[in-house]
Amino acid sequence: MVHTPLIGILGGGQLGRMTALAAIRMGLRVRFLVPRPSGPAEGLGEVIVGDWKDPAVLRRFAEGCPVVTVESEWAPADVLEPVLPEGTSLWPKAETVRIIRDKGRQKRVLAEAGLPLPDFACCTTLEEALAAAERFGYPVMLKRYRGSYDGYGNFTARSPEALKTGWAQLAQEDGLLVEAWAPFVRELAVLVARSPSGEEVIYPVVYTKQEDHRCYLVQAPAAIDPAVAEEARRVARAAVEAVDGIGITAVELFELADGRILINELAPRPHNTGHYTIEGCYTSQFENHVRAVLDWPLGSPELREPVAVMVNILGRRSSDRIDLRGLPEALRVPGVAVHLYGKMQVRPGRKMGHVTATGSDPEEVRRRAETAADLIARYL
Ligand code: ATP
Ligand code: MG
């Protein structure tokens, strides 16, 4: 009979996979609940495929787990919470997930905490949206409250006509969030790990480069003014406290030309901008997520080397065949770590894996990571 703790993970994508790998390394066991068969969770522990909105299925899944966590803000933490078996904790709390899941509510909570955000308005009608855009000035971002990722669900409107088009495409019963354009010079991100007993560590401020609204590259640390980095950390920490995030909470930020920091959005889980931590830091975001939800001591978020660069491997076509012809060649690039997520299908833009390189010269490190990622992605 094995008595090591069993950690339950709601969801079976790459974030669940890498969380499980960190847990397994520390001798823990993992159990996934996924709504449909998942490549990334395959072979890492017990995988329950079932209707994860069904309280009975959720309860059975959680039975025997001292802790259950989520790998996605869409995981049904709120359905699980009321039926949690005795002796099982859920971290982050369902309430944290509920706040973050709804972009309107998330903004209101952060604004009430006095945190810096682009101006925003929760608009239920097109007329309200046009009036808000008039107040903010064009361009504005239209955002669905729920269900967006990688920029799906967002629309940049540069004129009232464009706003009408975007509204017709995206608006749901409760309308859309209208957000002032943030004239950023850089996008940054900060990860915070927090445990239920209040221990907290903050990862370095990273630079994140988006292409087509999707994270493409992350460089740690961001090459920014130390005062700006300090402000980014202050804002991130306060934002995570405002939503009472437990485990890893990621904070996406905009840096403006005058050094001001605005919050873009939060994620109540490990994040793409933290994959570099696996090789780049003493304790990865995934390991600290596991330690935090178990209320175990947190590890150091410090960088092991001066620079780490992570580049995503994005799919380039649609197929059920994953062609890894480029992998051996990528592995010839010195000092890169290749991560592939075991997904069963490839689609254009889909995150299939990532590459991390570390070293001391940012340009050289970035070149290695990009070369290796491209060698793999060209066949995907
Ligand atoms: P993801 O899941 O990839 O984080 P998402 O679909 O939730 O993304 P957002 O984070 O809201 O979308 O926006 C995606 C990108 O669009 C941002 O990283 C940024 O590049 C751009 N963006 C979002 N809001 C604004 C804004 N107010 N001003 C300028 N650019 C913005
Ligand atoms: Mg985002």
Side-chain angles (χ1 to χ4, degrees):
M1 180 76 181
V2 185
H3 286 289
T4 53
L6 177 62
I7 166 163
I9 300 176
L10 276 175
Q14 65 266 26
L15 301 173
R17 174 187 180 86
M18 290 184 274
T19 301
L21 288 168
I24 290 165
R25 201 185 69 167
M26 290 189 287
L28 304 170
R29 291 173 302 137
V30 292
R31 177 187 289 162
F32 294 93
L33 176 59
V34 292
R36 64 194 79 82
S38 138
E42 203 65 41
L44 294 177
E46 194 184 334
V47 181
I48 301 174
V49 181
D51 175 6
W52 71 351
K53 296 210 167 101
D54 178 342
V57 171
L58 282 161
R59 191 180 161 89
R60 239 175 300 133
F61 153 74
E63 205 78 58
C65 297
V67 63
V68 171
T69 188
V70 301
E71 70 133 26
S72 155
E73 47 280 34
W74 316 119
D78 42 351
V79 187
L80 173 61
E81 196 176 61
V83 299
L84 270 181
E86 199 165 316
T88 302
S89 317
L90 170 67
W91 300 113
K93 288 178 192 163
E95 180 61 1
T96 302
V97 177
R98 268 195 296 268
I99 293 170
I100 290 180
R101 190 189 278 173
D102 180 319
K103 286 189 178 183
R105 189 156 173 224
Q106 181 189 141
K107 301 252 162 193
R108 288 196 298 272
V109 168
L110 296 173
E112 275 160 29
L115 290 161
L117 304 164
D119 285 331
F120 68 95
C122 298
C123 300
T124 41
T125 63
L126 174 61
E127 290 63 41
E128 283 170 28
L130 287 164
E134 214 48 60
R135 272 200 317 282
F136 303 154
Y138 286 90
V140 293
M141 290 290 293
L142 305 181
K143 296 187 177 182
R144 275 197 175 153
Y145 294 114
R146 291 169 302 275
S148 342
Y149 66 99
D150 291 349
Y152 303 112
N154 286 0
F155 186 98
T156 310
R158 301 185 184 281
S159 66
E161 292 65 46
L163 192 152
K164 286 177 199 161
T165 308
W167 187 273
Q169 277 176 22
L170 291 184
Q172 296 175 312
E173 321 75 66
D174 50 356
L176 292 175
L177 177 71
V178 178
E179 208 176 282
W181 182 257
F184 60 83
V185 290
R186 256 185 294 259
E187 289 189 75
L188 305 172
V190 177
L191 301 169
V192 177
R194 235 169 130 244
S195 60
S197 59
E199 200 186 340
E200 185 175 78
V201 298
I202 305 182
Y203 280 86
V205 181
V206 301
Y207 162 62
T208 100
K209 185 164 182 264
Q210 321 288 123
E211 259 168 28
D212 294 333
H213 297 268
R214 200 171 283 128
C215 173
Y216 159 70
L217 174 147
V218 171
Q219 179 178 319
I224 53 173
D225 189 302
V228 174
E230 205 33 60
E231 170 65 1
R233 288 161 60 89
R234 179 194 74 81
V235 166
R237 182 175 180 200
V240 174
E241 284 169 11
V243 300
D244 200 10
I246 301 291
I248 290 282
T249 311
V251 185
E252 299 176 10
L253 301 164
F254 298 124
E255 178 195 350
L256 306 186
D258 60 6
R260 270 190 306 141
I261 293 288
L262 302 179
I263 299 174
N264 175 25
E265 61 167 353
L266 273 53
R269 50 166 170 82
H271 196 251
N272 197 169
T273 59
H275 294 354
Y276 80 91
T277 61
I278 298 175
E279 291 82 19
C281 298
Y282 287 100
T283 313
S284 78
Q285 63 165 346
F286 301 104
E287 180 171 338
N288 261 340
H289 185 72
V290 170
R291 292 194 196 197
V293 298
L294 284 160
D295 211 9
W296 286 357
L298 301 181
S300 163
E302 298 298 312
L303 285 163
R304 290 171 186 263
E305 288 190 68
V307 180
V309 173
M310 187 267 348
V311 174
N312 275 334
I313 300 171
L314 301 176
R316 296 190 185 170
R317 63 201 179 104
S318 285
S319 174
D320 289 343
R321 224 183 73 124
I322 309 298
D323 185 343
L324 292 181
R325 234 182 311 166
L327 177 57
E329 225 184 308
L331 296 175
R332 273 202 197 95
V333 180
V336 296
V338 175
H339 298 252
L340 289 162
Y341 304 147
K343 293 190 180 176
M344 297 185 287
Q345 286 107 22
V346 57
R347 283 196 308 274
R350 189 169 195 205
K351 293 171 179 171
M352 304 302 291
H354 72 266
V355 172
T356 301
T358 56
S360 40
D361 172 18
E363 274 314 305
E364 185 273 331
V365 172
R366 174 178 175 160
R367 231 179 354 257
R368 273 190 283 130
E370 284 189 306
T371 302
D374 182 64
L375 283 167
I376 298 170
R378 62 177 59 175
Y379 298 104
L380 291 176

mmCIF file of all heavy atoms in Angstrom, residues 1-7 23-24 26-31 46 63-66:
data_model
loop_
_atom_site.group_PDB
_atom_site.id
_atom_site.type_symbol
_atom_site.label_atom_id
_atom_site.label_comp_id
_atom_site.label_asym_id
_atom_site.label_seq_id
_atom_site.Cartn_x
_atom_site.Cartn_y
_atom_site.Cartn_z
ATOM 1 N N MET A 1 0.857 -1.201 0.000
ATOM 2 C CA MET A 1 0.000 0.000 0.000
ATOM 3 C C MET A 1 0.891 1.249 0.000
ATOM 4 O O MET A 1 1.760 1.406 0.855
ATOM 5 C CB MET A 1 -0.878 -0.056 1.276
ATOM 6 C CG MET A 1 -1.827 1.103 1.429
ATOM 7 S SD MET A 1 -3.244 0.928 0.321
ATOM 8 C CE MET A 1 -4.124 2.416 0.723
ATOM 9 N N VAL A 2 0.685 2.100 -0.975
ATOM 10 C CA VAL A 2 1.489 3.320 -1.079
ATOM 11 C C VAL A 2 0.804 4.440 -0.301
ATOM 12 O O VAL A 2 -0.397 4.618 -0.407
ATOM 13 C CB VAL A 2 1.633 3.753 -2.571
ATOM 14 C CG1 VAL A 2 2.567 4.932 -2.692
ATOM 15 C CG2 VAL A 2 2.119 2.596 -3.418
ATOM 16 N N HIS A 3 1.577 5.153 0.494
ATOM 17 C CA HIS A 3 0.958 6.194 1.312
ATOM 18 C C HIS A 3 1.395 7.603 0.945
ATOM 19 O O HIS A 3 1.123 8.543 1.670
ATOM 20 C CB HIS A 3 1.215 5.938 2.797
ATOM 21 C CG HIS A 3 0.376 4.814 3.302
ATOM 22 N ND1 HIS A 3 -0.983 4.922 3.468
ATOM 23 C CD2 HIS A 3 0.698 3.547 3.624
ATOM 24 C CE1 HIS A 3 -1.467 3.760 3.887
ATOM 25 N NE2 HIS A 3 -0.462 2.919 3.982
ATOM 26 N N THR A 4 2.109 7.728 -0.185
ATOM 27 C CA THR A 4 2.506 9.090 -0.571
ATOM 28 C C THR A 4 1.252 9.865 -0.969
ATOM 29 O O THR A 4 0.293 9.282 -1.480
ATOM 30 C CB THR A 4 3.478 9.069 -1.762
ATOM 31 O OG1 THR A 4 2.890 8.296 -2.795
ATOM 32 C CG2 THR A 4 4.815 8.483 -1.374
ATOM 33 N N PRO A 5 1.253 11.176 -0.738
ATOM 34 C CA PRO A 5 0.044 11.944 -1.057
ATOM 35 C C PRO A 5 -0.331 11.852 -2.535
ATOM 36 O O PRO A 5 0.523 11.746 -3.408
ATOM 37 C CB PRO A 5 0.436 13.377 -0.694
ATOM 38 C CG PRO A 5 1.617 13.278 0.189
ATOM 39 C CD PRO A 5 2.309 11.990 -0.143
ATOM 40 N N LEU A 6 -1.634 11.886 -2.755
ATOM 41 C CA LEU A 6 -2.195 11.846 -4.105
ATOM 42 C C LEU A 6 -2.705 13.243 -4.416
ATOM 43 O O LEU A 6 -3.509 13.799 -3.664
ATOM 44 C CB LEU A 6 -3.343 10.839 -4.105
ATOM 45 C CG LEU A 6 -4.149 10.654 -5.384
ATOM 46 C CD1 LEU A 6 -3.274 10.143 -6.522
ATOM 47 C CD2 LEU A 6 -5.289 9.659 -5.119
ATOM 48 N N ILE A 7 -2.216 13.815 -5.497
ATOM 49 C CA ILE A 7 -2.673 15.155 -5.832
ATOM 50 C C ILE A 7 -3.621 15.080 -7.023
ATOM 51 O O ILE A 7 -3.322 14.411 -8.015
ATOM 52 C CB ILE A 7 -1.472 16.120 -6.012
ATOM 53 C CG1 ILE A 7 -1.864 17.424 -6.683
ATOM 54 C CG2 ILE A 7 -0.337 15.552 -6.772
ATOM 55 C CD1 ILE A 7 -0.791 18.483 -6.470
ATOM 56 N N ALA A 23 5.362 16.967 -9.448
ATOM 57 C CA ALA A 23 4.854 16.230 -8.282
ATOM 58 C C ALA A 23 5.480 14.839 -8.222
ATOM 59 O O ALA A 23 5.921 14.386 -7.151
ATOM 60 C CB ALA A 23 3.324 16.118 -8.369
ATOM 61 N N ILE A 24 5.543 14.190 -9.373
ATOM 62 C CA ILE A 24 6.085 12.821 -9.434
ATOM 63 C C ILE A 24 7.553 12.826 -9.000
ATOM 64 O O ILE A 24 8.006 11.933 -8.288
ATOM 65 C CB ILE A 24 5.910 12.251 -10.862
ATOM 66 C CG1 ILE A 24 4.427 11.983 -11.139
ATOM 67 C CG2 ILE A 24 6.749 10.977 -11.057
ATOM 68 C CD1 ILE A 24 4.079 11.768 -12.593
ATOM 69 N N MET A 26 8.873 14.520 -6.804
ATOM 70 C CA MET A 26 8.943 14.567 -5.340
ATOM 71 C C MET A 26 8.268 13.351 -4.703
ATOM 72 O O MET A 26 7.978 13.347 -3.505
ATOM 73 C CB MET A 26 8.302 15.864 -4.826
ATOM 74 C CG MET A 26 9.144 17.083 -5.168
ATOM 75 S SD MET A 26 8.548 18.589 -4.361
ATOM 76 C CE MET A 26 7.069 18.933 -5.294
ATOM 77 N N GLY A 27 7.967 12.341 -5.515
ATOM 78 C CA GLY A 27 7.427 11.101 -4.962
ATOM 79 C C GLY A 27 5.930 11.121 -4.734
ATOM 80 O O GLY A 27 5.383 10.216 -4.102
ATOM 81 N N LEU A 28 5.245 12.125 -5.246
ATOM 82 C CA LEU A 28 3.785 12.169 -5.091
ATOM 83 C C LEU A 28 3.129 11.358 -6.204
ATOM 84 O O LEU A 28 3.755 11.050 -7.216
ATOM 85 C CB LEU A 28 3.294 13.616 -5.174
ATOM 86 C CG LEU A 28 3.934 14.571 -4.167
ATOM 87 C CD1 LEU A 28 3.565 16.010 -4.490
ATOM 88 C CD2 LEU A 28 3.459 14.222 -2.773
ATOM 89 N N ARG A 29 1.873 11.048 -6.010
ATOM 90 C CA ARG A 29 1.093 10.412 -7.078
ATOM 91 C C ARG A 29 0.089 11.432 -7.595
ATOM 92 O O ARG A 29 -0.321 12.331 -6.859
ATOM 93 C CB ARG A 29 0.359 9.193 -6.526
ATOM 94 C CG ARG A 29 1.316 8.048 -6.154
ATOM 95 C CD ARG A 29 0.586 6.923 -5.469
ATOM 96 N NE ARG A 29 -0.086 7.388 -4.270
ATOM 97 C CZ ARG A 29 -1.320 7.047 -3.910
ATOM 98 N NH1 ARG A 29 -2.035 6.222 -4.655
ATOM 99 N NH2 ARG A 29 -1.849 7.520 -2.794
ATOM 100 N N VAL A 30 -0.319 11.270 -8.852
ATOM 101 C CA VAL A 30 -1.283 12.220 -9.413
ATOM 102 C C VAL A 30 -2.488 11.492 -9.990
ATOM 103 O O VAL A 30 -2.390 10.339 -10.430
ATOM 104 C CB VAL A 30 -0.673 13.117 -10.528
ATOM 105 C CG1 VAL A 30 0.347 14.072 -9.969
ATOM 106 C CG2 VAL A 30 -0.049 12.284 -11.630
ATOM 107 N N ARG A 31 -3.612 12.193 -9.947
ATOM 108 C CA ARG A 31 -4.843 11.701 -10.569
ATOM 109 C C ARG A 31 -5.450 12.879 -11.344
ATOM 110 O O ARG A 31 -5.600 13.969 -10.796
ATOM 111 C CB ARG A 31 -5.809 11.235 -9.487
ATOM 112 C CG ARG A 31 -7.145 10.783 -10.043
ATOM 113 C CD ARG A 31 -8.127 10.497 -8.922
ATOM 114 N NE ARG A 31 -7.791 9.288 -8.179
ATOM 115 C CZ ARG A 31 -8.278 9.012 -6.964
ATOM 116 N NH1 ARG A 31 -9.091 9.861 -6.351
ATOM 117 N NH2 ARG A 31 -7.942 7.896 -6.363
ATOM 118 N N GLU A 46 -3.161 8.214 -12.718
ATOM 119 C CA GLU A 46 -4.507 7.754 -13.003
ATOM 120 C C GLU A 46 -5.234 8.855 -13.785
ATOM 121 O O GLU A 46 -5.196 10.020 -13.380
ATOM 122 C CB GLU A 46 -5.184 7.557 -11.640
ATOM 123 C CG GLU A 46 -6.445 6.801 -11.655
ATOM 124 C CD GLU A 46 -7.039 6.776 -10.232
ATOM 125 O OE1 GLU A 46 -6.279 6.897 -9.242
ATOM 126 O OE2 GLU A 46 -8.251 6.658 -10.136
ATOM 127 N N GLU A 63 -12.007 12.008 -3.961
ATOM 128 C CA GLU A 63 -11.921 11.046 -2.856
ATOM 129 C C GLU A 63 -10.489 10.505 -2.719
ATOM 130 O O GLU A 63 -9.931 10.007 -3.694
ATOM 131 C CB GLU A 63 -12.888 9.882 -3.162
ATOM 132 C CG GLU A 63 -13.398 9.114 -1.977
ATOM 133 C CD GLU A 63 -14.506 9.860 -1.236
ATOM 134 O OE1 GLU A 63 -15.541 10.192 -1.858
ATOM 135 O OE2 GLU A 63 -14.299 10.088 -0.034
ATOM 136 N N GLY A 64 -9.911 10.647 -1.539
ATOM 137 C CA GLY A 64 -8.565 10.097 -1.320
ATOM 138 C C GLY A 64 -7.437 11.062 -1.660
ATOM 139 O O GLY A 64 -6.270 10.745 -1.452
ATOM 140 N N CYS A 65 -7.770 12.228 -2.216
ATOM 141 C CA CYS A 65 -6.729 13.226 -2.516
ATOM 142 C C CYS A 65 -6.673 14.227 -1.365
ATOM 143 O O CYS A 65 -7.671 14.893 -1.086
ATOM 144 C CB CYS A 65 -7.054 14.018 -3.786
ATOM 145 S SG CYS A 65 -7.139 13.044 -5.277
ATOM 146 N N PRO A 66 -5.531 14.415 -0.693
ATOM 147 C CA PRO A 66 -5.471 15.477 0.312
ATOM 148 C C PRO A 66 -5.655 16.852 -0.323
ATOM 149 O O PRO A 66 -6.137 17.775 0.312
ATOM 150 C CB PRO A 66 -4.069 15.334 0.920
ATOM 151 C CG PRO A 66 -3.317 14.399 0.037
ATOM 152 C CD PRO A 66 -4.303 13.625 -0.781
#
